[in-house]
Each structure stands twice: as C-alpha cells, then as structure tokens.
Amino acid sequence: MPFKPVLLWTDALLYLLIAVAAVTALYASRREHLRAPWRHILRHRLGMGAFVVLAVYIAVGLVDSVHFRLPLAGQRAKTDGAQTQTEYSSEVLSLLDLLVLPLKERVEKTYSAPFATHLYAKETIERPDGAQLRDFPRLRYGGAHLADPERDRAWDLASTAARALAQGTLAWGALIVLIVAWQTRRTGDPWARVWGRLLRGRTDIPWRVILLTSGALMLFGFLGAGLGMKYHVFGTDKVGSDVLYLSLKSIRTGLVIGTLTTLIMLPFAILLGIMAGYFKGWVDDVIQYVYTTLSSIPAVLLIAAAILTLQAYMALHPERFDTTAVRADARLLFLCIILGITSWTSLCRLLRGETLKLRDVEYIQAATVLGAGPTTIMIRHILPNVMHIVLITVALDFSGLVLAEAVLSYVGVGVDPSTISWGTMINSARLEMAREPMVWWSLASAFTFMFTLVLAANLFSDVVRDAFDPRLAREQPKA
Amino acid sequence: MTAYLIRRVLYAIPILIGVNLLTFVLFFVVNSPDNMARVHLGVKHVTPEAMAKWKRERGYDKPLVWNAAAEGVGTLSQTIFFEKSLSLFAFDFGRADDGRDIGSDIRERMWPSLAIAVPVFLIGILIEITFAMVLAFLRGTYVDLWGVVLCVILLSISSLFYIIGGQYLIGKLLNLTPISGYDTGLAAAKFIILPVVVGVVSGIGASTRLYRTIFLEEINKDYIRTARAKGLSEVRVLFHHALKNAMIPILTGVVVIIPALFLGSLILESFFGIPGLGSYTIDGIRSQDFAIVRAMVFLGSALYIVGLMLTDLSYTVVDPRVRLS
C-alpha cells in the first residue's frame, strides 16, 4: 500500500457527526413541519452568507481529518520471502498537509515578516570573498526566486497578485455561470431573466449573497495560494513555520472542540433532562442534585483539575500513546469530554423545564390514556418536541467553545502543546508583542481566522434560533 | 424568611459534600499521591525514599479513607480524606507545595482581585444596561440594527485579543498606563485602570445584546401598552415601568456572580500581573500544585452556592409577587 491510514479518535467522531447530520437532513427533508424552519434559514440572506464561510471552514477541517502515514522515503517495499513489508514514517499526515505541502515544508530559521525576503534577526553572514558581516540573511524560501529583492519585490508581488486575482475571478465567473445554467434548467425561464433576478437579489434563495461571499472567499483563496507559493503571506513564527499553514491547521482543532464537545454531552443532557422532567419525584431530585453540584464548580477549575490528572496519567503511562499525534489526539478528545461535562448542565436544565411543561399537555395525557409506556412517550412524543431546544443550544454553544479553547490553552489546560490551534499560536506569540520591532503577524493571523469563524458561527446560530424558536415565530410572523 | 434561609443553607450542604467528594476522587483516587510525587520529582529517576519523603512532608502518606493502624476516632480522622478534604469545610486549606499557608495567601490576595473585579462589575453593568436601553428605545431604527451588529462583532472577538490589544494600544502606543504590575495602597490605581477598561469592554457585546432582548420582551407586554395608552412618555415608560420589570431576569444572571468576584478573573490578572486570586489559581495550575487547585475549587463552589441563595433573596426585593415560603 502506498500509505497506511490512521484513524484518530476525533476523526472517527467527526465522521460520525457528519453521518448523523446527513441522516437528520434526510429525515427532516421528508417532513414538511421540519422543512419549514430550514427553508427560513435557506432564504435568510445573512444566514446564508455566514453559512458559506462556515462551509469553507468545515471543508478545510474535514480535509484535515483524513490521516495517514506515508512510507519512509527511499525505502520502497522490500520483499523478504513471501512477506512484503513497508516501513512507515512515524509522522501522521493529513490530506490537508499534502495539499499545502509547500507551506508545510518551507521552514525558515526563525521569525520573518509577511512577504519578507529577509530574516527578522541579524546574523553573521560569510561573503564569497571570505569577509564576514552582520546583516539580515535572505530567507531560504520566501522570495528566494528574486535576483534583487529590493528592486524586484514590489513588481513581483503585484504581478503575482494580479495573476492570482485574475484566476480567482475566472473561477468565480465559472461558478456564476454554473449556478445560472442550473437555475435556467430548473425554472425553464430564459437565462437573461434568471440572471436579472439574481442580480437584483430577487431569488428565493439569496444567490446574490451566496455568490458574493463565495467570490470574496475565492479571491482570498487564490491570492493566498498564488502568493503563498512564493512568499510567507502571514510571515513565519519563532521556529520558522509558515503562519498561514498554522492558521489553516488550527481550523480543525477549533471545529473539533466546538462540535465534538456538544456531540459528547448531548446523550447525557437529553436523557437526564427528559427523565428528570417526566418522572419527577426522586429521579428529578437526584438528577437536579448531580447537575447543581457539577455546575457549582467553576468550569475552568474543573477542567484544570481533570487535565492535570490526565497529564499525570500520560506522564506515567507513555507506552499507551505510541506517536505524538495519538497522544495529542487523546488529550484533545479528553478536553472535549471534560468541556462537555461542564457544559451539559445548562441544556439539561432547559430540557427538564420544557419536559415538565410538556408532560401536562393534552396529547401526552392522551398517549398515557391510550396505554403508551413511559419510554414510548419520552421517545416518540417528548423528544421530537424538545429537539428545537437541543439544536439551538448546539448552535449557540459552538462559538463560545471555540473561544474557550484559546483561553484554556493560555491557562495551560487546553490542547496538547504539539497540537496546532489558535490558542497555542496566541500563547506562544503573546510575548512577542514586547519585541522591537514588534512581531505581530502570528497574533493577527490567529485572531483573524478565529474571529471570522466565530462571527460566522454567531450570525448563523442567531438565524437558526430565530427559525426554530416557536415563541419568536409567533411574535413576528413576517420576519 | 428565617426558616427559608435555614432551609437554603441546609440544602447547600449536600451540594458542598458532593463537590468535596468529587474533588477527593479526582485528586486522590484517580490521581494517587504516588503519581503526584512522581510528577513533581520527575518521572524517571525517582527513588522510593524520595517519594516517601515528599508524601510525608505533605501528609499524603496516610491511608485514603480508613486508617486501620490508628485507634478509635483515629481510624477515620488520621486519613487523607479527613485531613485534606473534610478540613475544607472549616475553610482550613492546608499548605501549598512550596510550604506556604493557602488560607493566608487567599486572604492576602483577595484584595487585589476585588480591586479589579468590583469596578469591572459595577461599571460594566451600568454601561451595558444603559446601552441596552438606548437600543431598546431606538428599536427598529438603523441605530438599533447597527448596534446589534456591533454587539455580535464585539462578542465574537476573543477576550485574549482585548487584553493584548488593550495593552498594546493604551500601554505601549499611547503610553497612558503601565502595561502590567501592581502596587499597594492608592498607588495601585494607575495599574488598575487598564485591566478595568479591558474587562469592561470585553463584556459589553454579549451582555448588551442579552439585556436588549430582555427589554424588548418586556416592552411588548400588555402593561406597557396600558402605560402608553395612559399618555405616558416613552422615556417614562421605559425607565419607570420596563426597567423595573426587566430587572428580574437581569438579576438572575448578575447576582449569582457577585460572591465569585472574590476569585477575580484568571486571564486578566495573569496578563496584567495582578497578585490576586486569579493569577494565584493560574500559578497553581501551571506548577501542578494540586493543593491550591483543590482549595480554589472548593472556595469557588461555595461562593457560587452563596450566589444562588442571594439570587433567590434578591427576587423578594425587586419582585413583590415572589414570596419565599
């Protein structure tokens, strides 16, 4: 085999999450009352704009979740006897690493500013004639193709950027043509009318916003790809890694923390919340006691305590975690679990309250009279009617979790230091602000990428909440 | 009233016991004293004697819950559970790994924490409620729309960015305040300003949006329509009628954190070098000092439970409909 697939725990759970989302979408699309809120989202301009941004992040995160180990270089499959053996590198790569391999491999010596051709720090350079002088050395990769950087850099930057923008515009145009062609086929209208509707923003689904957002993203993408091959677009960090590469790799960590945490806590929160509300009595007392106790512990401290314990366990059992990737992944997953434990209580409380209300509603009483058991009632009658709360909570929690990761990593109880995340980027770069001249690019890049994701998620989750909250729907029938 | 208070205090006890048991399990059962010793003394080259000495110095060499070697009450009292965990109920926090008394450290570090947390809390809530009322007053206008957009943008920015950005902008570029540090007495004021400003700004987005929603919910109610129908001015309706009633949901979220103000803010204090309880906790976590973390977990939970009680009491003050029974 040319590679050896590696299935990390978080990968498997992400795939599971995608599968659950797909099944839910299929299920919802067959039922009119479930389709209605999604149609509301689909027709919401701001919501769809935010969704396009989210989709790009998710795509990057998923591509980064396909892991494998390549065979060691120069060691083709050796055949000894009947058995074929290939030695695999211990480094776990992802599909994203392969796609942006130049970014990953072009490592400089230390800091360099965005688009720089020279290193950030002075070094002693040996001239060909044997003399030595202290100067900023040329970068190994950034702008290495230029003969005279001082003279050629501006022109080279401009022409590369122009070419990338032209390519991006072309690709965008192709996308527009595709959408218009598809709409023409679907509606049967002449293409000019379809185009006019789209231009004026008169379509059911806000294609104009979708195309504008994806256009902007495509231009950024092409710019990054075009310039990133020749320069370090966001500079390099202390050990010389490309900051753009680090920012892209952080996306997966952010997504994993934002989504898996809720996925892990959901079963407990739903089960316990509904049980507490439905059975009342001592079941309710016990469950309330459990979540009050858990929520009274300050979340950061509980996480810190759990992570410290895990660290001690990992330090004493190194044999259970054979590669760095596995160890980092175990810690990431554990962080999700412990974040889930601290955050399930609010959802559980909401579900309990809603179930308390629902169990006295006529249709539930009718079901009881007709002889339905508690399990049937809870699964068939109560669960579907509290799902909107679950969905809203999941959407609203996501952005908070992404932000929490950065803070936790700063405190030292976040992801493994070897995991690339915005938190670790910020943590390792925060002291660089004091340098002269200031190293600002790692921080700026991490904050920008994080801000874009969180803002998109916040905007999208607001739309989701408006669409699914029945109370809001009654109050504002038009919006 | 007194009966209610007593009942609430009694109800808090099982929760504190639960917290205590949970931390005990986490710190001594899952993560045995042997492990702690090995983590602190280095994993590889550690002799059993060094470990035994480390544990003896900290009193971790006793049995966990049952001391068969001791007699009488000693079987229960000369154990880690009794000495390290139950003693927390008497607010006896024991000693940190470096030998300092945690209790006196906490009493000393409480004041810098309060010096930051109280102004952040008071100024913050004043500004947030004012902004929220302005937005609610101008509801449906462009000011409201862009105000909400601004709130969403503000709450999407990482709190670390506010701190680093504030330090850079105010401390380094404008040179108005020192970037970090602390002093005693009145000289502390110049060190306090920047963290307070950053703390207030980083909280504005989320709270303003929440309070605006609460106000809007209140404004759509029937009694407000009645007030308007009587011919009252919009300002009077908003401040006299809506504000009073909106205080009830606002109090739910606000009162509960008042006792926890003692604990300070973890990252604010750590970034600005404030010697308060927040940075104390972070130092404890970073140096893997389990005694400090355990003390702070217990203290934090106790203060949260006090906050819950205060919330219930505050309802009786602002909402005459609520009668505690």
Side-chain angles (χ1 to χ4, degrees), chain B residues 13 35 42 60 65 85 87 92 98 105 118 121 127 136 164 186 188 193 220-221 231-232 235 239 243 279 310 321-322:
Chain B
I13 292 174
N35 287 0
Y60 292 158
V65 286
S85 234
S87 60
D92 168 15
D98 57 4
D105 265 356
V118 171
F121 174 75
I127 292 183
I164 297 176
L186 278 180
I193 296 171
N220 286 328
K221 285 188 178 162
L232 297 184
V235 175
F239 279 85
L243 178 61
S279 53
L310 285 181
R321 285 172 302 182
V322 176

Side-chain angles (χ1 to χ4, degrees), chain A residues 111-435:
Chain A
Y111 298 115
S112 69
F115 302 114
T117 51
H118 291 82
L119 216 55
Y120 168 84
K122 277 192 180 176
E123 266 184 15
T124 311
I125 309 169
E126 197 148 327
R127 296 257 294 276
D129 54 13
Q132 290 188 337
L133 83 166
R134 280 191 68 78
D135 199 4
F136 301 105
R138 281 289 294 272
L139 291 182
R140 259 177 276 175
Y141 302 98
H145 59 290
L146 301 176
D148 180 6
E150 307 254 315
R151 191 192 62 208
D152 300 336
R153 194 177 72 139
W155 169 245
D156 185 62
L157 274 176
S159 63
T160 315
R163 205 173 317 129
L165 283 179
Q167 286 165 347
T169 318
L170 265 180
W172 184 35
L175 181 72
I176 297 177
V177 169
L178 258 172
I179 299 282
V180 171
W182 177 57
Q183 286 285 311
T184 313
R185 260 188 77 115
R186 211 177 62 110
T187 54
D189 290 341
W191 71 267
R193 193 182 297 166
V194 172
W195 170 244
R197 264 206 309 260
L198 198 155
L199 208 60
R200 286 195 305 275
R202 292 272 175 79
T203 44
D204 271 352
I205 295 170
W207 285 113
R208 190 171 61 165
V209 175
I210 295 175
L211 285 174
L212 280 177
T213 322
S214 43
L217 288 171
M218 281 166 99
L219 289 186
F220 274 125
F222 272 90
L223 263 183
L227 291 168
M229 290 296 134
K230 293 179 175 177
Y231 298 92
H232 297 290
V233 181
F234 291 123
T236 54
D237 73 349
K238 189 170 185 177
V239 291
S241 318
D242 191 287
V243 173
L244 175 61
Y245 171 72
L246 296 179
S247 308
L248 286 174
K249 290 288 279 185
S250 301
I251 290 177
R252 174 174 185 271
T253 316
L255 288 178
V256 165
I257 298 228
T259 54
L260 288 195
T261 301
T262 25
L263 179 75
I264 289 168
M265 73 156 191
L266 270 187
F268 299 100
I270 294 178
L271 185 73
L272 294 180
I274 292 182
M275 273 173 65
Y278 185 77
F279 289 118
K280 294 190 183 174
W282 67 268
V283 179
D284 188 22
D285 288 340
V286 170
I287 293 172
Q288 271 201 68
Y289 172 72
V290 169
Y291 72 60
T292 317
T293 307
L294 272 179
S295 64
S296 71
I297 302 178
V300 184
L301 288 172
L302 187 61
I303 294 166
I307 292 285
L308 286 184
T309 311
L310 178 80
Q311 268 177 345
Y313 178 80
M314 280 183 168
L316 300 173
H317 300 273
E319 72 282 354
R320 306 223 172 143
F321 308 96
D322 52 351
T323 59
T324 5
V326 173
R327 199 186 62 221
D329 186 68
R331 179 152 170 183
L332 183 61
L333 183 66
F334 190 75
L335 184 66
C336 288
I337 294 174
I338 192 74
L339 268 171
I341 290 177
T342 57
S343 63
W344 69 279
T345 51
S346 58
L347 177 61
C348 190
R349 190 176 293 145
L350 281 177
L351 289 178
R352 171 181 170 273
E354 190 67 20
T355 312
L356 272 178
K357 261 186 261 167
L358 280 179
R359 77 190 295 277
D360 294 330
V361 171
E362 281 91 348
Y363 67 84
I364 304 281
Q365 287 175 337
T368 320
V369 171
L370 287 173
T375 326
T376 323
I377 291 181
M378 282 192 282
I379 293 175
R380 283 203 58 88
H381 300 291
I382 293 181
L383 184 62
N385 288 300
V386 296
M387 271 324 264
H388 67 279
I389 296 183
V390 174
L391 200 80
I392 292 171
T393 312
V394 170
L396 288 179
D397 278 355
F398 175 82
S399 52
L401 288 167
V402 175
L403 290 175
E405 184 273 326
V407 172
L408 290 176
S409 294
Y410 168 75
V411 178
V413 292
V415 293
D416 190 82
S418 70
T419 308
I420 303 170
S421 80
W422 292 309
T424 47
M425 279 174 77
I426 293 168
N427 194 19
S428 60
R430 75 199 155 82
L431 292 175
E432 297 163 3
M433 293 291 280
R435 280 169 177 267

Side-chain angles (χ1 to χ4, degrees), chain B residues 3-184:
Chain B
Y4 174 79
L5 266 185
I6 294 173
R7 213 153 29 113
R8 277 312 303 244
V9 172
L10 287 181
Y11 182 65
I13 292 174
I15 294 176
L16 277 177
I17 293 177
V19 171
N20 201 306
L21 282 176
L22 192 73
T23 44
F24 176 74
V25 168
L26 206 55
F27 284 106
F28 291 110
V29 180
V30 178
N31 190 26
S32 67
D34 281 352
N35 287 0
M36 270 190 270
R38 237 174 287 171
V39 168
H40 272 272
L41 300 171
V43 177
K44 286 190 181 130
H45 312 285
V46 56
T47 57
E49 293 80 44
M51 270 170 59
K53 180 166 170 285
W54 191 89
K55 286 193 325 195
R56 196 167 52 245
E57 279 168 1
R58 285 158 184 78
Y60 292 158
D61 54 343
K62 302 200 171 75
L64 282 179
V65 286
W66 182 259
N67 191 346
E71 285 173 17
V73 196
T75 50
L76 285 175
S77 67
Q78 288 176 18
T79 56
I80 291 182
F81 179 64
F82 187 85
E83 289 184 355
K84 300 290 173 195
S85 234
L86 283 184
S87 60
L88 290 176
F89 278 108
F91 291 98
D92 168 15
F93 297 115
R95 290 185 179 281
D97 281 351
D98 57 4
R100 291 172 61 92
D101 182 45
I102 297 179
S104 69
D105 265 356
I106 287 177
R107 273 188 294 278
E108 191 181 307
R109 284 169 163 263
M110 191 172 92
W111 301 109
S113 280
L114 282 176
I116 305 284
V118 171
V120 168
F121 174 75
L122 291 179
I123 300 174
I125 200 160
L126 205 68
I127 292 183
E128 285 148 15
I129 290 189
T130 317
F131 280 4
M133 289 191 72
V134 170
L135 292 185
F137 183 68
L138 297 171
R139 63 192 173 280
T141 64
Y142 275 100
V143 180
D144 180 34
L145 179 73
W146 287 106
V148 174
V149 171
L150 187 69
C151 282
V152 176
I153 291 176
L154 282 178
L155 72 91
S156 303
I157 297 174
S158 167
S159 54
L160 296 173
F161 179 81
Y162 285 111
I163 297 176
I164 297 176
Q167 278 183 330
Y168 177 69
L169 186 73
I170 301 180
K172 197 173 172 190
L173 270 191
L174 302 176
N175 230 340
L176 290 178
T177 59
I179 289 181
S180 72
Y182 197 72
D183 207 340
T184 49

Side-chain angles (χ1 to χ4, degrees), chain B residues 1 4-13 16 255-256 259 302-316 324:
Chain B
M1 189 72 174
Y4 174 79
L5 266 185
I6 294 173
R7 213 153 29 113
R8 277 312 303 244
V9 172
L10 287 181
Y11 182 65
I13 292 174
L16 277 177
V255 175
V256 73
L303 290 172
Y304 177 79
I305 292 166
V306 174
L308 286 182
M309 279 190 252
L310 285 181
T311 310
D312 282 357
L313 284 181
S314 67
Y315 283 153
T316 58
L324 301 177

Side-chain angles (χ1 to χ4, degrees), chain B residues 254-319:
Chain B
V254 167
V255 175
V256 73
I257 61 167
I258 291 178
L261 290 180
F262 281 101
L263 298 179
S265 155
L266 293 183
I267 49 170
L268 262 186
E269 289 184 13
S270 161
F271 262 97
F272 289 102
I274 311 278
L277 285 179
S279 53
Y280 187 58
T281 314
I282 289 212
D283 294 345
I285 294 171
R286 291 229 170 110
S287 61
Q288 308 212 345
D289 192 326
F290 290 87
I292 295 180
V293 177
R294 206 169 53 228
M296 296 311 284
V297 165
F298 188 77
L299 195 61
S301 318
L303 290 172
Y304 177 79
I305 292 166
V306 174
L308 286 182
M309 279 190 252
L310 285 181
T311 310
D312 282 357
L313 284 181
S314 67
Y315 283 153
T316 58
V317 179
V318 295
D319 191 351

